[in-house]
Amino acid sequence: MVYEKLFSLASIAMPFWFLLILLPTWRATRFLANIAIFPMYLAALYIVGIITAIAGSGFGFVQDFGSAEGVIRLLSKPDFALLVWLHLLCFDQMVGHYVYRDNMEHRYVPLPVQSILLFLILMFGPLGLLCYFVLRRIRKQSKLSL
């Protein structure tokens, strides 16, 4: 029940993705990104969830991280699966903030490309981050060769 409530509360951060993707230059978007309220909010929800998990069953679940079977066993538990989902949402949001803030400051990629990359981060996390790093590296190298 606690984890379902945390999951519901996490959805509040979703509209911020739309701001980052669709309205990157809007003053409210820049303000919210600069104070990083949504990654901190998701991190706080995750902390509540992980403390609840530890209080309920101790640190025993950590031993399951060492094998594929253990991870599958953990993820088969609905409460733990929701906690892991919250963990992913939080990290994706932090990565999205990083890419947004870094690109808005340095303009390694045009804003439409930034929006595509942020969508990739939202949907596929590491894929979007890797694409951003590759494009940023190409842009930096092209500036050096000029």
Side-chain angles (χ1 to χ4, degrees), residues 53-143:
I54 292 167
S57 58
F59 286 98
F61 65 87
V62 174
Q63 69 190 9
D64 287 334
F65 292 159
S67 71
E69 296 82 18
V71 171
I72 291 168
R73 188 172 40 255
L74 281 174
L75 292 175
S76 70
K77 299 175 184 176
D79 288 347
F80 201 84
L82 288 175
L83 185 58
V84 170
W85 180 248
L86 189 55
H87 180 117
L88 292 170
L89 291 175
C90 181
F91 268 85
D92 286 351
Q93 185 76 239
M94 285 191 278
V95 169
H97 266 72
Y98 166 76
V99 168
Y100 172 86
R101 290 166 69 172
D102 187 53
N103 193 59
M104 292 301 284
E105 181 179 343
H106 301 287
R107 297 297 171 123
Y108 295 118
V109 298
L111 290 179
V113 174
Q114 172 183 294
S115 292
I116 292 166
L117 293 168
L118 289 171
F119 178 77
L120 288 175
I121 291 166
L122 169 63
M123 299 306 294
F124 308 109
L127 172 65
L129 179 61
L130 179 61
C131 290
Y132 177 69
F133 282 156
V134 167
L135 292 172
R136 185 177 77 171
R137 171 68 123 196
I138 291 168
R139 181 64 184 256
K140 282 182 172 182
Q141 296 234 330
S142 69
K143 283 183 177 181

Side-chain angles (χ1 to χ4, degrees), residues 1 7-9 12 23 28 47 49 61 87 92 98 103 108:
M1 181 82 143
F7 178 83
S8 294
L9 290 170
I12 294 168
L23 299 169
I47 290 167
F61 65 87
H87 180 117
D92 286 351
Y98 166 76
N103 193 59
Y108 295 118

Side-chain angles (χ1 to χ4, degrees), residues 1-12 41-42 44-53 79 82-83 85-86 89:
M1 181 82 143
V2 169
Y3 300 98
E4 289 175 8
K5 183 65 174 173
L6 293 173
F7 178 83
S8 294
L9 290 170
S11 67
I12 294 168
Y41 170 74
L42 291 172
L45 292 179
Y46 176 77
I47 290 167
V48 169
I50 198 69
I51 288 172
T52 302
D79 288 347
L82 288 175
L83 185 58
W85 180 248
L86 189 55
L89 291 175

